[in-house]
Amino acid sequence: ASMDASLLSAPLVAGSFVVIVCGLAGRAVACWLCVRSHGWSAAEQLFGVVTWCPKATVQAALSSVALDYVAEHLAGLPEYGAEMERAEALLTCAVLSIMVTAPLFAAVIAKVGQWVLDGERHQLELLQAEAAAGGR
Protein backbone atom coordinates (compact mmCIF):
# COMPACT_ATOMS: atom_id res chain seq x y z
CA ALA A 1 0.00 0.00 0.00
CA SER A 2 1.10 3.55 -0.57
CA MET A 3 -0.08 6.91 0.62
CA ASP A 4 -1.78 9.19 -1.90
CA ALA A 5 -0.53 12.72 -1.17
CA SER A 6 -3.53 14.19 -3.00
CA LEU A 7 -5.73 12.93 -0.15
CA LEU A 8 -3.92 15.07 2.41
CA SER A 9 -6.11 17.71 3.95
CA ALA A 10 -5.42 20.18 6.74
CA PRO A 11 -7.82 18.46 9.19
CA LEU A 12 -6.31 15.03 8.44
CA VAL A 13 -2.73 16.26 8.91
CA ALA A 14 -3.64 18.21 12.07
CA GLY A 15 -5.51 15.23 13.48
CA SER A 16 -2.58 12.97 12.65
CA PHE A 17 -0.19 15.25 14.50
CA VAL A 18 -2.48 15.27 17.54
CA VAL A 19 -2.51 11.45 17.50
CA ILE A 20 1.28 11.36 17.09
CA VAL A 21 1.89 13.78 19.98
CA CYS A 22 -0.56 11.93 22.25
CA GLY A 23 1.07 8.62 21.33
CA LEU A 24 4.55 9.98 22.04
CA ALA A 25 3.40 11.41 25.38
CA GLY A 26 1.81 8.10 26.38
CA ARG A 27 4.89 6.16 25.28
CA ALA A 28 7.17 8.54 27.22
CA VAL A 29 5.13 8.22 30.42
CA ALA A 30 4.95 4.42 30.07
CA CYS A 31 8.71 4.17 29.57
CA TRP A 32 9.46 6.47 32.49
CA LEU A 33 7.14 4.45 34.75
CA CYS A 34 8.98 1.28 33.72
CA VAL A 35 12.50 2.56 34.39
CA ARG A 36 12.09 4.95 37.32
CA SER A 37 12.30 2.28 40.00
CA HIS A 38 15.33 0.45 38.63
CA GLY A 39 18.08 2.68 39.98
CA TRP A 40 18.64 4.62 36.76
CA SER A 41 19.92 8.18 37.01
CA ALA A 42 17.69 10.99 35.76
CA ALA A 43 19.83 11.27 32.62
CA GLU A 44 19.52 7.54 31.96
CA GLN A 45 15.76 7.73 32.46
CA LEU A 46 15.57 10.62 29.99
CA PHE A 47 17.64 8.67 27.48
CA GLY A 48 15.37 5.65 27.89
CA VAL A 49 12.30 7.79 27.26
CA VAL A 50 13.87 9.43 24.20
CA THR A 51 14.99 6.15 22.66
CA TRP A 52 11.60 4.55 23.17
CA CYS A 53 9.68 7.25 21.28
CA PRO A 54 10.41 6.63 17.60
CA LYS A 55 9.03 3.30 16.46
CA ALA A 56 8.90 3.57 12.67
CA THR A 57 9.26 -0.18 12.22
CA VAL A 58 5.92 -0.82 13.91
CA GLN A 59 4.13 1.91 11.96
CA ALA A 60 5.58 0.65 8.68
CA ALA A 61 4.58 -2.94 9.41
CA LEU A 62 1.04 -2.16 10.52
CA SER A 63 0.18 0.90 8.43
CA SER A 64 -1.48 -1.00 5.61
CA VAL A 65 -3.34 -3.65 7.64
CA ALA A 66 -6.61 -1.69 7.78
CA LEU A 67 -6.38 -0.85 4.08
CA ASP A 68 -5.77 -4.49 3.16
CA TYR A 69 -8.63 -5.64 5.41
CA VAL A 70 -11.14 -3.23 3.87
CA ALA A 71 -10.07 -4.12 0.33
CA GLU A 72 -10.28 -7.84 1.04
CA HIS A 73 -13.40 -8.09 3.21
CA LEU A 74 -15.62 -5.11 2.41
CA ALA A 75 -15.36 -4.77 -1.38
CA GLY A 76 -18.83 -4.49 -2.84
CA LEU A 77 -20.52 -3.60 0.45
CA PRO A 78 -22.25 -0.23 0.99
CA GLU A 79 -19.81 0.81 3.73
CA TYR A 80 -16.74 0.13 1.55
CA GLY A 81 -16.17 3.80 0.61
CA ALA A 82 -16.37 5.14 4.16
CA GLU A 83 -14.22 2.34 5.56
CA MET A 84 -11.64 2.82 2.80
CA GLU A 85 -11.44 6.52 3.71
CA ARG A 86 -10.80 5.60 7.35
CA ALA A 87 -8.17 3.05 6.35
CA GLU A 88 -6.42 5.63 4.16
CA ALA A 89 -6.50 8.10 7.06
CA LEU A 90 -4.79 5.50 9.27
CA LEU A 91 -2.16 4.90 6.60
CA THR A 92 -1.59 8.65 6.27
CA CYS A 93 -1.20 9.02 10.04
CA ALA A 94 1.30 6.16 10.12
CA VAL A 95 3.34 7.58 7.24
CA LEU A 96 3.37 11.04 8.82
CA SER A 97 4.44 9.48 12.11
CA ILE A 98 7.37 7.80 10.40
CA MET A 99 8.33 10.95 8.49
CA VAL A 100 8.26 13.10 11.64
CA THR A 101 9.53 10.86 14.43
CA ALA A 102 12.29 8.89 12.71
CA PRO A 103 14.54 11.82 11.70
CA LEU A 104 13.58 14.00 14.67
CA PHE A 105 14.34 11.38 17.28
CA ALA A 106 17.48 10.20 15.47
CA ALA A 107 18.87 13.69 16.07
CA VAL A 108 17.51 13.87 19.64
CA ILE A 109 18.94 10.44 20.50
CA ALA A 110 22.36 11.50 19.21
CA LYS A 111 22.34 14.68 21.30
CA VAL A 112 20.86 13.20 24.49
CA GLY A 113 23.03 10.11 24.17
CA GLN A 114 26.18 12.21 23.93
CA TRP A 115 25.05 14.29 26.92
CA VAL A 116 24.38 11.16 29.00
CA LEU A 117 27.70 9.58 28.00
CA ASP A 118 29.64 12.79 28.68
CA GLY A 119 28.00 13.02 32.13
CA GLU A 120 28.86 9.41 32.94
CA ARG A 121 32.42 9.87 31.66
CA HIS A 122 32.79 12.95 33.87
CA GLN A 123 31.47 11.05 36.91
CA LEU A 124 33.88 8.18 36.21
CA GLU A 125 36.80 10.61 35.96
CA LEU A 126 35.81 12.17 39.30
CA LEU A 127 35.62 8.74 40.94
CA GLN A 128 38.98 7.79 39.51
CA ALA A 129 40.53 11.05 40.73
CA GLU A 130 39.08 10.52 44.22
CA ALA A 131 40.38 6.95 44.29
CA ALA A 132 43.83 8.08 43.18
CA ALA A 133 43.90 10.86 45.79
CA GLY A 134 42.76 8.47 48.50
CA GLY A 135 45.36 5.88 47.59
CA ARG A 136 48.34 8.23 48.12
Side-chain angles (χ1 to χ4, degrees), residues 2-41:
S2 63
M3 185 180 90
D4 184 357
S6 68
L7 299 175
L8 290 177
S9 65
L12 178 59
V13 172
S16 294
F17 280 113
V18 168
V19 168
I20 292 166
V21 169
C22 290
L24 289 172
R27 188 179 286 263
V29 169
C31 181
W32 178 75
L33 288 172
C34 289
V35 301
R36 69 187 177 104
S37 63
H38 292 293
W40 290 18
S41 69

Side-chain angles (χ1 to χ4, degrees), residues 10-134:
L12 178 59
V13 172
S16 294
F17 280 113
V18 168
V19 168
I20 292 166
V21 169
C22 290
L24 289 172
R27 188 179 286 263
V29 169
C31 181
W32 178 75
L33 288 172
C34 289
V35 301
R36 69 187 177 104
S37 63
H38 292 293
W40 290 18
S41 69
E44 291 168 331
Q45 290 177 32
L46 174 63
F47 188 67
V49 167
V50 168
T51 59
W52 212 39
C53 283
K55 295 295 179 197
T57 306
V58 174
Q59 281 88 336
L62 297 178
S63 62
S64 64
V65 171
L67 200 62
D68 293 341
Y69 180 86
V70 170
E72 187 176 320
H73 293 93
L74 301 180
L77 296 176
E79 61 269 13
Y80 176 80
E83 294 302 324
M84 187 56 81
E85 262 185 52
R86 289 186 184 105
E88 288 173 348
L90 284 172
L91 176 65
T92 300
C93 186
V95 170
L96 289 174
S97 174
I98 294 166
M99 291 172 55
V100 170
T101 63
L104 173 67
F105 280 97
V108 172
I109 287 168
K111 291 293 183 190
V112 172
Q114 190 62 47
W115 174 69
V116 170
L117 290 174
D118 284 346
E120 287 181 355
R121 189 176 302 119
H122 179 70
Q123 287 178 335
L124 181 60
E125 289 169 358
L126 288 175
L127 289 172
Q128 288 172 337
E130 287 176 9

